[in-house]
PDB file of all heavy atoms in Angstrom:
ATOM      1  N   THR A 305      44.657  21.135  10.830  1.00 86.00           N
ATOM      2  CA  THR A 305      45.369  21.657   9.667  1.00 86.00           C
ATOM      3  C   THR A 305      46.275  22.793  10.110  1.00 86.00           C
ATOM      4  O   THR A 305      45.927  23.572  11.000  1.00 86.00           O
ATOM      5  CB  THR A 305      44.370  22.163   8.614  1.00 86.00           C
ATOM      6  OG1 THR A 305      43.402  23.033   9.234  1.00 86.00           O
ATOM      7  CG2 THR A 305      43.635  21.002   7.970  1.00 86.00           C
ATOM      8  N   HIS A 306      47.439  22.887   9.478  1.00 86.00           N
ATOM      9  CA  HIS A 306      48.419  23.906   9.851  1.00 86.00           C
ATOM     10  C   HIS A 306      48.560  24.995   8.796  1.00 86.00           C
ATOM     11  O   HIS A 306      49.126  26.050   9.079  1.00 86.00           O
ATOM     12  CB  HIS A 306      49.786  23.249  10.086  1.00 86.00           C
ATOM     13  CG  HIS A 306      49.773  22.195  11.139  1.00 86.00           C
ATOM     14  ND1 HIS A 306      49.671  22.495  12.487  1.00 86.00           N
ATOM     15  CD2 HIS A 306      49.825  20.839  11.059  1.00 86.00           C
ATOM     16  CE1 HIS A 306      49.680  21.367  13.182  1.00 86.00           C
ATOM     17  NE2 HIS A 306      49.765  20.350  12.344  1.00 86.00           N
ATOM     18  N   TYR A 307      48.060  24.724   7.607  1.00 91.00           N
ATOM     19  CA  TYR A 307      48.199  25.670   6.515  1.00 91.00           C
ATOM     20  C   TYR A 307      46.824  26.078   5.989  1.00 91.00           C
ATOM     21  O   TYR A 307      45.886  25.272   5.959  1.00 91.00           O
ATOM     22  CB  TYR A 307      49.023  25.054   5.388  1.00 91.00           C
ATOM     23  CG  TYR A 307      50.440  24.698   5.802  1.00 91.00           C
ATOM     24  CD1 TYR A 307      50.778  23.391   6.136  1.00 91.00           C
ATOM     25  CD2 TYR A 307      51.429  25.683   5.874  1.00 91.00           C
ATOM     26  CE1 TYR A 307      52.065  23.063   6.523  1.00 91.00           C
ATOM     27  CE2 TYR A 307      52.720  25.369   6.266  1.00 91.00           C
ATOM     28  CZ  TYR A 307      53.032  24.060   6.598  1.00 91.00           C
ATOM     29  OH  TYR A 307      54.306  23.737   7.005  1.00 91.00           O
ATOM     30  N   SER A 308      46.738  27.334   5.549  1.00 92.00           N
ATOM     31  CA  SER A 308      45.459  27.868   5.079  1.00 92.00           C
ATOM     32  C   SER A 308      44.875  27.038   3.952  1.00 92.00           C
ATOM     33  O   SER A 308      43.660  26.829   3.886  1.00 92.00           O
ATOM     34  CB  SER A 308      45.636  29.318   4.625  1.00 92.00           C
ATOM     35  OG  SER A 308      46.023  30.149   5.699  1.00 92.00           O
ATOM     36  N   VAL A 309      45.710  26.545   3.051  1.00 92.00           N
ATOM     37  CA  VAL A 309      45.207  25.780   1.918  1.00 92.00           C
ATOM     38  C   VAL A 309      44.516  24.501   2.382  1.00 92.00           C
ATOM     39  O   VAL A 309      43.479  24.101   1.822  1.00 92.00           O
ATOM     40  CB  VAL A 309      46.346  25.464   0.921  1.00 92.00           C
ATOM     41  CG1 VAL A 309      47.430  24.598   1.548  1.00 92.00           C
ATOM     42  CG2 VAL A 309      45.787  24.810  -0.335  1.00 92.00           C
ATOM     43  N   ASP A 310      45.049  23.861   3.416  1.00 91.00           N
ATOM     44  CA  ASP A 310      44.432  22.629   3.924  1.00 91.00           C
ATOM     45  C   ASP A 310      43.149  22.925   4.694  1.00 91.00           C
ATOM     46  O   ASP A 310      42.182  22.161   4.627  1.00 91.00           O
ATOM     47  CB  ASP A 310      45.419  21.875   4.802  1.00 91.00           C
ATOM     48  CG  ASP A 310      46.634  21.400   4.010  1.00 91.00           C
ATOM     49  OD1 ASP A 310      46.465  20.994   2.851  1.00 91.00           O
ATOM     50  OD2 ASP A 310      47.756  21.444   4.548  1.00 91.00           O
ATOM     51  N   THR A 311      43.147  24.036   5.440  1.00 93.00           N
ATOM     52  CA  THR A 311      41.927  24.449   6.136  1.00 93.00           C
ATOM     53  C   THR A 311      40.830  24.762   5.136  1.00 93.00           C
ATOM     54  O   THR A 311      39.671  24.364   5.312  1.00 93.00           O
ATOM     55  CB  THR A 311      42.205  25.683   7.010  1.00 93.00           C
ATOM     56  OG1 THR A 311      43.221  25.371   7.971  1.00 93.00           O
ATOM     57  CG2 THR A 311      40.948  26.133   7.738  1.00 93.00           C
ATOM     58  N   LEU A 312      41.198  25.463   4.077  1.00 94.00           N
ATOM     59  CA  LEU A 312      40.230  25.814   3.041  1.00 94.00           C
ATOM     60  C   LEU A 312      39.656  24.563   2.376  1.00 94.00           C
ATOM     61  O   LEU A 312      38.443  24.461   2.160  1.00 94.00           O
ATOM     62  CB  LEU A 312      40.896  26.699   1.996  1.00 94.00           C
ATOM     63  CG  LEU A 312      40.043  27.111   0.800  1.00 94.00           C
ATOM     64  CD1 LEU A 312      38.794  27.848   1.255  1.00 94.00           C
ATOM     65  CD2 LEU A 312      40.867  27.975  -0.146  1.00 94.00           C
ATOM     66  N   LYS A 313      40.508  23.595   2.070  1.00 91.00           N
ATOM     67  CA  LYS A 313      40.036  22.350   1.469  1.00 91.00           C
ATOM     68  C   LYS A 313      39.054  21.642   2.390  1.00 91.00           C
ATOM     69  O   LYS A 313      38.031  21.114   1.933  1.00 91.00           O
ATOM     70  CB  LYS A 313      41.228  21.441   1.164  1.00 91.00           C
ATOM     71  CG  LYS A 313      42.082  21.907  -0.004  1.00 91.00           C
ATOM     72  CD  LYS A 313      43.340  21.053  -0.160  1.00 91.00           C
ATOM     73  CE  LYS A 313      43.018  19.618  -0.469  1.00 91.00           C
ATOM     74  NZ  LYS A 313      44.258  18.825  -0.685  1.00 91.00           N
ATOM     75  N   ALA A 314      39.354  21.624   3.688  1.00 89.00           N
ATOM     76  CA  ALA A 314      38.463  20.973   4.654  1.00 89.00           C
ATOM     77  C   ALA A 314      37.109  21.675   4.710  1.00 89.00           C
ATOM     78  O   ALA A 314      36.061  21.021   4.764  1.00 89.00           O
ATOM     79  CB  ALA A 314      39.115  20.955   6.031  1.00 89.00           C
ATOM     80  N   LEU A 315      37.109  23.000   4.682  1.00 93.00           N
ATOM     81  CA  LEU A 315      35.859  23.753   4.736  1.00 93.00           C
ATOM     82  C   LEU A 315      35.036  23.548   3.470  1.00 93.00           C
ATOM     83  O   LEU A 315      33.811  23.364   3.533  1.00 93.00           O
ATOM     84  CB  LEU A 315      36.153  25.244   4.935  1.00 93.00           C
ATOM     85  CG  LEU A 315      36.641  25.658   6.321  1.00 93.00           C
ATOM     86  CD1 LEU A 315      37.061  27.115   6.325  1.00 93.00           C
ATOM     87  CD2 LEU A 315      35.551  25.426   7.360  1.00 93.00           C
ATOM     88  N   GLN A 316      35.681  23.582   2.327  1.00 91.00           N
ATOM     89  CA  GLN A 316      34.943  23.410   1.071  1.00 91.00           C
ATOM     90  C   GLN A 316      34.416  21.998   0.919  1.00 91.00           C
ATOM     91  O   GLN A 316      33.355  21.787   0.321  1.00 91.00           O
ATOM     92  CB  GLN A 316      35.849  23.785  -0.105  1.00 91.00           C
ATOM     93  CG  GLN A 316      36.143  25.273  -0.179  1.00 91.00           C
ATOM     94  CD  GLN A 316      37.050  25.629  -1.339  1.00 91.00           C
ATOM     95  OE1 GLN A 316      37.952  24.879  -1.712  1.00 91.00           O
ATOM     96  NE2 GLN A 316      36.830  26.798  -1.927  1.00 91.00           N
ATOM     97  N   ARG A 317      35.137  21.021   1.471  1.00 87.00           N
ATOM     98  CA  ARG A 317      34.655  19.645   1.431  1.00 87.00           C
ATOM     99  C   ARG A 317      33.474  19.465   2.378  1.00 87.00           C
ATOM    100  O   ARG A 317      32.505  18.774   2.064  1.00 87.00           O
ATOM    101  CB  ARG A 317      35.793  18.694   1.812  1.00 87.00           C
ATOM    102  CG  ARG A 317      35.412  17.225   1.729  1.00 87.00           C
ATOM    103  CD  ARG A 317      36.625  16.334   1.846  1.00 87.00           C
ATOM    104  NE  ARG A 317      37.369  16.552   3.074  1.00 87.00           N
ATOM    105  CZ  ARG A 317      38.579  17.064   3.126  1.00 87.00           C
ATOM    106  NH1 ARG A 317      39.196  17.442   2.026  1.00 87.00           N
ATOM    107  NH2 ARG A 317      39.207  17.213   4.276  1.00 87.00           N
ATOM    108  N   ARG A 318      33.543  20.109   3.550  1.00 88.00           N
ATOM    109  CA  ARG A 318      32.480  19.971   4.554  1.00 88.00           C
ATOM    110  C   ARG A 318      31.240  20.775   4.181  1.00 88.00           C
ATOM    111  O   ARG A 318      30.115  20.345   4.423  1.00 88.00           O
ATOM    112  CB  ARG A 318      33.031  20.427   5.911  1.00 88.00           C
ATOM    113  CG  ARG A 318      31.999  20.482   7.031  1.00 88.00           C
ATOM    114  CD  ARG A 318      31.456  19.105   7.374  1.00 88.00           C
ATOM    115  NE  ARG A 318      30.479  19.196   8.429  1.00 88.00           N
ATOM    116  CZ  ARG A 318      29.184  19.420   8.236  1.00 88.00           C
ATOM    117  NH1 ARG A 318      28.713  19.594   7.004  1.00 88.00           N
ATOM    118  NH2 ARG A 318      28.360  19.476   9.257  1.00 88.00           N
ATOM    119  N   PHE A 319      31.431  21.953   3.561  1.00 90.00           N
ATOM    120  CA  PHE A 319      30.300  22.824   3.221  1.00 90.00           C
ATOM    121  C   PHE A 319      30.348  23.149   1.724  1.00 90.00           C
ATOM    122  O   PHE A 319      30.642  24.284   1.328  1.00 90.00           O
ATOM    123  CB  PHE A 319      30.356  24.113   4.048  1.00 90.00           C
ATOM    124  CG  PHE A 319      30.518  23.886   5.524  1.00 90.00           C
ATOM    125  CD1 PHE A 319      31.709  24.203   6.168  1.00 90.00           C
ATOM    126  CD2 PHE A 319      29.491  23.345   6.280  1.00 90.00           C
ATOM    127  CE1 PHE A 319      31.868  24.002   7.535  1.00 90.00           C
ATOM    128  CE2 PHE A 319      29.640  23.122   7.639  1.00 90.00           C
ATOM    129  CZ  PHE A 319      30.835  23.446   8.265  1.00 90.00           C
ATOM    130  N   PRO A 320      30.078  22.172   0.873  1.00 89.00           N
ATOM    131  CA  PRO A 320      30.277  22.346  -0.567  1.00 89.00           C
ATOM    132  C   PRO A 320      29.349  23.358  -1.218  1.00 89.00           C
ATOM    133  O   PRO A 320      29.632  23.822  -2.327  1.00 89.00           O
ATOM    134  CB  PRO A 320      30.033  20.935  -1.127  1.00 89.00           C
ATOM    135  CG  PRO A 320      29.131  20.268  -0.122  1.00 89.00           C
ATOM    136  CD  PRO A 320      29.562  20.814   1.209  1.00 89.00           C
ATOM    137  N   ARG A 321      28.272  23.733  -0.559  1.00 91.00           N
ATOM    138  CA  ARG A 321      27.306  24.644  -1.181  1.00 91.00           C
ATOM    139  C   ARG A 321      27.339  26.041  -0.578  1.00 91.00           C
ATOM    140  O   ARG A 321      26.477  26.870  -0.862  1.00 91.00           O
ATOM    141  CB  ARG A 321      25.898  24.054  -1.076  1.00 91.00           C
ATOM    142  CG  ARG A 321      25.809  22.717  -1.788  1.00 91.00           C
ATOM    143  CD  ARG A 321      24.417  22.365  -2.193  1.00 91.00           C
ATOM    144  NE  ARG A 321      24.413  21.187  -3.027  1.00 91.00           N
ATOM    145  CZ  ARG A 321      23.506  20.921  -3.945  1.00 91.00           C
ATOM    146  NH1 ARG A 321      22.533  21.769  -4.159  1.00 91.00           N
ATOM    147  NH2 ARG A 321      23.564  19.811  -4.649  1.00 91.00           N
ATOM    148  N   VAL A 322      28.326  26.298   0.248  1.00 94.00           N
ATOM    149  CA  VAL A 322      28.526  27.638   0.783  1.00 94.00           C
ATOM    150  C   VAL A 322      29.488  28.391  -0.128  1.00 94.00           C
ATOM    151  O   VAL A 322      30.471  27.823  -0.617  1.00 94.00           O
ATOM    152  CB  VAL A 322      29.095  27.579   2.213  1.00 94.00           C
ATOM    153  CG1 VAL A 322      29.530  28.963   2.686  1.00 94.00           C
ATOM    154  CG2 VAL A 322      28.059  27.012   3.174  1.00 94.00           C
ATOM    155  N   HIS A 323      29.214  29.663  -0.376  1.00 96.00           N
ATOM    156  CA  HIS A 323      30.109  30.504  -1.169  1.00 96.00           C
ATOM    157  C   HIS A 323      31.108  31.181  -0.225  1.00 96.00           C
ATOM    158  O   HIS A 323      30.766  32.134   0.474  1.00 96.00           O
ATOM    159  CB  HIS A 323      29.317  31.551  -1.943  1.00 96.00           C
ATOM    160  CG  HIS A 323      28.365  30.989  -2.947  1.00 96.00           C
ATOM    161  ND1 HIS A 323      28.781  30.212  -4.007  1.00 96.00           N
ATOM    162  CD2 HIS A 323      27.019  31.083  -3.045  1.00 96.00           C
ATOM    163  CE1 HIS A 323      27.735  29.848  -4.728  1.00 96.00           C
ATOM    164  NE2 HIS A 323      26.645  30.357  -4.163  1.00 96.00           N
ATOM    165  N   PHE A 324      32.329  30.669  -0.199  1.00 97.00           N
ATOM    166  CA  PHE A 324      33.364  31.247   0.633  1.00 97.00           C
ATOM    167  C   PHE A 324      34.177  32.270  -0.166  1.00 97.00           C
ATOM    168  O   PHE A 324      34.378  32.110  -1.375  1.00 97.00           O
ATOM    169  CB  PHE A 324      34.317  30.170   1.158  1.00 97.00           C
ATOM    170  CG  PHE A 324      33.722  29.274   2.214  1.00 97.00           C
ATOM    171  CD1 PHE A 324      33.513  27.927   1.952  1.00 97.00           C
ATOM    172  CD2 PHE A 324      33.398  29.777   3.469  1.00 97.00           C
ATOM    173  CE1 PHE A 324      32.980  27.090   2.929  1.00 97.00           C
ATOM    174  CE2 PHE A 324      32.857  28.947   4.439  1.00 97.00           C
ATOM    175  CZ  PHE A 324      32.646  27.611   4.171  1.00 97.00           C
ATOM    176  N   VAL A 325      34.671  33.299   0.526  1.00 97.00           N
ATOM    177  CA  VAL A 325      35.607  34.252  -0.055  1.00 97.00           C
ATOM    178  C   VAL A 325      36.710  34.490   0.965  1.00 97.00           C
ATOM    179  O   VAL A 325      36.445  34.610   2.164  1.00 97.00           O
ATOM    180  CB  VAL A 325      34.903  35.577  -0.449  1.00 97.00           C
ATOM    181  CG1 VAL A 325      34.224  36.221   0.750  1.00 97.00           C
ATOM    182  CG2 VAL A 325      35.902  36.545  -1.083  1.00 97.00           C
ATOM    183  N   TRP A 326      37.950  34.500   0.493  1.00 97.00           N
ATOM    184  CA  TRP A 326      39.095  34.678   1.400  1.00 97.00           C
ATOM    185  C   TRP A 326      39.360  36.164   1.567  1.00 97.00           C
ATOM    186  O   TRP A 326      39.471  36.903   0.587  1.00 97.00           O
ATOM    187  CB  TRP A 326      40.338  33.979   0.840  1.00 97.00           C
ATOM    188  CG  TRP A 326      41.409  33.825   1.876  1.00 97.00           C
ATOM    189  CD1 TRP A 326      42.435  34.674   2.135  1.00 97.00           C
ATOM    190  CD2 TRP A 326      41.521  32.762   2.829  1.00 97.00           C
ATOM    191  NE1 TRP A 326      43.197  34.207   3.184  1.00 97.00           N
ATOM    192  CE2 TRP A 326      42.656  33.033   3.627  1.00 97.00           C
ATOM    193  CE3 TRP A 326      40.780  31.605   3.068  1.00 97.00           C
ATOM    194  CZ2 TRP A 326      43.066  32.188   4.652  1.00 97.00           C
ATOM    195  CZ3 TRP A 326      41.187  30.762   4.088  1.00 97.00           C
ATOM    196  CH2 TRP A 326      42.317  31.056   4.867  1.00 97.00           C
ATOM    197  N   LEU A 327      39.473  36.601   2.821  1.00 96.00           N
ATOM    198  CA  LEU A 327      39.735  38.006   3.131  1.00 96.00           C
ATOM    199  C   LEU A 327      41.172  38.163   3.591  1.00 96.00           C
ATOM    200  O   LEU A 327      41.658  37.391   4.422  1.00 96.00           O
ATOM    201  CB  LEU A 327      38.781  38.500   4.219  1.00 96.00           C
ATOM    202  CG  LEU A 327      37.283  38.243   3.998  1.00 96.00           C
ATOM    203  CD1 LEU A 327      36.480  38.780   5.174  1.00 96.00           C
ATOM    204  CD2 LEU A 327      36.811  38.850   2.687  1.00 96.00           C
ATOM    205  N   ILE A 328      41.846  39.180   3.077  1.00 92.00           N
ATOM    206  CA  ILE A 328      43.229  39.418   3.471  1.00 92.00           C
ATOM    207  C   ILE A 328      43.504  40.918   3.444  1.00 92.00           C
ATOM    208  O   ILE A 328      43.071  41.630   2.529  1.00 92.00           O
ATOM    209  CB  ILE A 328      44.213  38.670   2.535  1.00 92.00           C
ATOM    210  CG1 ILE A 328      45.653  38.865   2.996  1.00 92.00           C
ATOM    211  CG2 ILE A 328      44.027  39.079   1.095  1.00 92.00           C
ATOM    212  CD1 ILE A 328      46.648  37.988   2.242  1.00 92.00           C
ATOM    213  N   GLY A 329      44.181  41.417   4.469  1.00 88.00           N
ATOM    214  CA  GLY A 329      44.570  42.820   4.498  1.00 88.00           C
ATOM    215  C   GLY A 329      45.720  43.057   3.542  1.00 88.00           C
ATOM    216  O   GLY A 329      46.573  42.183   3.333  1.00 88.00           O
ATOM    217  N   SER A 330      45.754  44.226   2.927  1.00 85.00           N
ATOM    218  CA  SER A 330      46.808  44.504   1.954  1.00 85.00           C
ATOM    219  C   SER A 330      48.191  44.487   2.589  1.00 85.00           C
ATOM    220  O   SER A 330      49.188  44.276   1.900  1.00 85.00           O
ATOM    221  CB  SER A 330      46.561  45.866   1.291  1.00 85.00           C
ATOM    222  OG  SER A 330      46.473  46.901   2.276  1.00 85.00           O
ATOM    223  N   ASP A 331      48.276  44.676   3.922  1.00 80.00           N
ATOM    224  CA  ASP A 331      49.572  44.622   4.590  1.00 80.00           C
ATOM    225  C   ASP A 331      50.154  43.216   4.592  1.00 80.00           C
ATOM    226  O   ASP A 331      51.364  43.031   4.763  1.00 80.00           O
ATOM    227  CB  ASP A 331      49.461  45.156   6.024  1.00 80.00           C
ATOM    228  CG  ASP A 331      48.338  44.486   6.806  1.00 80.00           C
ATOM    229  OD1 ASP A 331      47.356  44.064   6.182  1.00 80.00           O
ATOM    230  OD2 ASP A 331      48.436  44.394   8.041  1.00 80.00           O
ATOM    231  N   ASN A 332      49.318  42.193   4.437  1.00 80.00           N
ATOM    232  CA  ASN A 332      49.790  40.805   4.401  1.00 80.00           C
ATOM    233  C   ASN A 332      49.986  40.276   2.983  1.00 80.00           C
ATOM    234  O   ASN A 332      50.460  39.155   2.789  1.00 80.00           O
ATOM    235  CB  ASN A 332      48.799  39.890   5.136  1.00 80.00           C
ATOM    236  CG  ASN A 332      48.873  40.064   6.639  1.00 80.00           C
ATOM    237  OD1 ASN A 332      49.955  40.161   7.195  1.00 80.00           O
ATOM    238  ND2 ASN A 332      47.717  40.103   7.273  1.00 80.00           N
ATOM    239  N   LEU A 333      49.627  41.090   2.004  1.00 81.00           N
ATOM    240  CA  LEU A 333      49.656  40.607   0.630  1.00 81.00           C
ATOM    241  C   LEU A 333      51.083  40.375   0.142  1.00 81.00           C
ATOM    242  O   LEU A 333      51.330  39.465  -0.659  1.00 81.00           O
ATOM    243  CB  LEU A 333      48.951  41.616  -0.279  1.00 81.00           C
ATOM    244  CG  LEU A 333      48.444  41.085  -1.615  1.00 81.00           C
ATOM    245  CD1 LEU A 333      47.472  39.939  -1.404  1.00 81.00           C
ATOM    246  CD2 LEU A 333      47.775  42.204  -2.401  1.00 81.00           C
ATOM    247  N   ALA A 334      52.030  41.176   0.633  1.00 77.00           N
ATOM    248  CA  ALA A 334      53.415  41.057   0.169  1.00 77.00           C
ATOM    249  C   ALA A 334      54.016  39.693   0.496  1.00 77.00           C
ATOM    250  O   ALA A 334      54.880  39.194  -0.220  1.00 77.00           O
ATOM    251  CB  ALA A 334      54.267  42.170   0.774  1.00 77.00           C
ATOM    252  N   ILE A 335      53.560  39.068   1.592  1.00 83.00           N
ATOM    253  CA  ILE A 335      54.117  37.773   1.988  1.00 83.00           C
ATOM    254  C   ILE A 335      53.220  36.606   1.564  1.00 83.00           C
ATOM    255  O   ILE A 335      53.488  35.462   1.906  1.00 83.00           O
ATOM    256  CB  ILE A 335      54.360  37.703   3.508  1.00 83.00           C
ATOM    257  CG1 ILE A 335      53.027  37.814   4.268  1.00 83.00           C
ATOM    258  CG2 ILE A 335      55.337  38.771   3.955  1.00 83.00           C
ATOM    259  CD1 ILE A 335      53.156  37.513   5.747  1.00 83.00           C
ATOM    260  N   PHE A 336      52.168  36.901   0.817  1.00 86.00           N
ATOM    261  CA  PHE A 336      51.240  35.848   0.401  1.00 86.00           C
ATOM    262  C   PHE A 336      51.951  34.763  -0.406  1.00 86.00           C
ATOM    263  O   PHE A 336      51.608  33.584  -0.326  1.00 86.00           O
ATOM    264  CB  PHE A 336      50.088  36.448  -0.403  1.00 86.00           C
ATOM    265  CG  PHE A 336      48.993  35.468  -0.741  1.00 86.00           C
ATOM    266  CD1 PHE A 336      48.101  35.034   0.225  1.00 86.00           C
ATOM    267  CD2 PHE A 336      48.864  34.964  -2.028  1.00 86.00           C
ATOM    268  CE1 PHE A 336      47.088  34.122  -0.084  1.00 86.00           C
ATOM    269  CE2 PHE A 336      47.866  34.059  -2.353  1.00 86.00           C
ATOM    270  CZ  PHE A 336      46.987  33.640  -1.377  1.00 86.00           C
ATOM    271  N   ARG A 337      52.965  35.160  -1.177  1.00 85.00           N
ATOM    272  CA  ARG A 337      53.699  34.186  -1.992  1.00 85.00           C
ATOM    273  C   ARG A 337      54.483  33.196  -1.139  1.00 85.00           C
ATOM    274  O   ARG A 337      54.948  32.165  -1.642  1.00 85.00           O
ATOM    275  CB  ARG A 337      54.653  34.910  -2.947  1.00 85.00           C
ATOM    276  CG  ARG A 337      55.685  35.775  -2.241  1.00 85.00           C
ATOM    277  CD  ARG A 337      56.538  36.547  -3.241  1.00 85.00           C
ATOM    278  NE  ARG A 337      57.467  37.441  -2.573  1.00 85.00           N
ATOM    279  CZ  ARG A 337      58.624  37.076  -2.054  1.00 85.00           C
ATOM    280  NH1 ARG A 337      58.992  35.806  -2.112  1.00 85.00           N
ATOM    281  NH2 ARG A 337      59.421  37.956  -1.467  1.00 85.00           N
ATOM    282  N   ARG A 338      54.630  33.487   0.162  1.00 86.00           N
ATOM    283  CA  ARG A 338      55.322  32.558   1.060  1.00 86.00           C
ATOM    284  C   ARG A 338      54.364  31.536   1.659  1.00 86.00           C
ATOM    285  O   ARG A 338      54.807  30.587   2.304  1.00 86.00           O
ATOM    286  CB  ARG A 338      56.018  33.342   2.183  1.00 86.00           C
ATOM    287  CG  ARG A 338      57.146  34.247   1.708  1.00 86.00           C
ATOM    288  CD  ARG A 338      57.666  35.112   2.840  1.00 86.00           C
ATOM    289  NE  ARG A 338      58.058  34.309   3.999  1.00 86.00           N
ATOM    290  CZ  ARG A 338      58.244  34.806   5.218  1.00 86.00           C
ATOM    291  NH1 ARG A 338      58.061  36.110   5.436  1.00 86.00           N
ATOM    292  NH2 ARG A 338      58.594  34.013   6.203  1.00 86.00           N
TER     293      ARG A 338
END
Side-chain angles (χ1 to χ4, degrees):
T305 50
H306 302 287
Y307 298 100
S308 297
V309 62
D310 296 322
T311 301
L312 177 58
K313 288 174 63 177
L315 287 173
Q316 290 180 325
R317 183 169 57 247
R318 174 65 180 87
F319 309 110
R321 299 203 172 208
V322 170
H323 297 299
F324 288 114
V325 58
W326 195 268
L327 309 179
I328 183 171
S330 56
D331 52 331
N332 286 317
L333 201 58
I335 64 170
F336 187 74
R337 60 184 176 81
R338 295 173 54 197

